[in-house]
Amino acid sequence: MQVSTEVGFGLIAALAAAAYGAGALDDRGIAASIVIGSLVLILGGIYPFLALVTFVVAGVTATRYRFSEKVRMGSSKGYEKTRSAGNVLGNGLGVLLFLVIEMLTRRDVFWAATFSAIATVNGDTLASELGKVLGKRPRLITNLKPVRPGTNGGITIQGELAALLGVGMIVPFALPLTSHWLQVAVAVGLGGLIGVNADSLIGATLENRGITDNNTTNLMASVIGGLTGGLAFFLLGG
């Protein structure tokens, strides 16, 4: 693990430089990502860190996919191509919360919660960014009425499939940390999918009313996804 940790810190520096050079994060976003990444590596080790790296790479890729088309459609703003500290914290603080609890309790249930939180933000990002251009007829999650692409709380079949892909990408990273591999796989998958749809529900209600913003919505959804995954793991006998 010592070698892996050293490699991890090197990877943090490399990713930060790459993100800055590509314009994916601004100065505050870079600083926040270095802090979050370092804390995840220190508290959780290499597996949650690599899961978070997967989220970052997948999220940047999905955001930039046909980005100019998203802007023309009005589903994205030009400035959204570059994320700042608020976005990083909104996606990362829930993960850190569960990692701290796992460190204090040393219980596998909080590994399930940690990876469910990461699966939530990864699945949500892919669902949102890919659903904007691949989903042709979005409907509001609360009443299933048609809405414009990019509307908070809008869902599509294509977006749900993208969410499933995003959640599934994170599941393998949880398996080495527990002997209850089947339970944790089911728990992280379930927690991530429920967290993604909780994000849509919060967006359709609280965010559309100005009560929350995108970053707060992301944080709330990741915590809901993490709690759901942890509860599922416990009920499955993990």
Side-chain angles (χ1 to χ4, degrees), residues 55 91 115-129 131 141 152-168 170 188-204 207 217-226 228-229:
F55 157 63
N91 286 310
F115 287 97
S116 295
I118 302 175
T120 294
V121 296
N122 195 52
D124 174 63
T125 301
L126 266 61
S128 176
E129 295 298 336
I141 192 172
N152 295 324
I155 59 173
T156 63
I157 293 176
Q158 294 85 348
E160 290 296 311
L161 291 174
L164 182 61
L165 172 64
V167 170
I170 302 303
V188 172
L190 181 63
L193 288 174
I194 289 179
V196 170
N197 286 283
D199 188 285
S200 297
L201 185 60
I202 296 168
E207 190 172 348
T217 297
N218 289 341
L219 175 58
M220 292 173 65
S222 70
V223 172
I224 291 171
T228 302

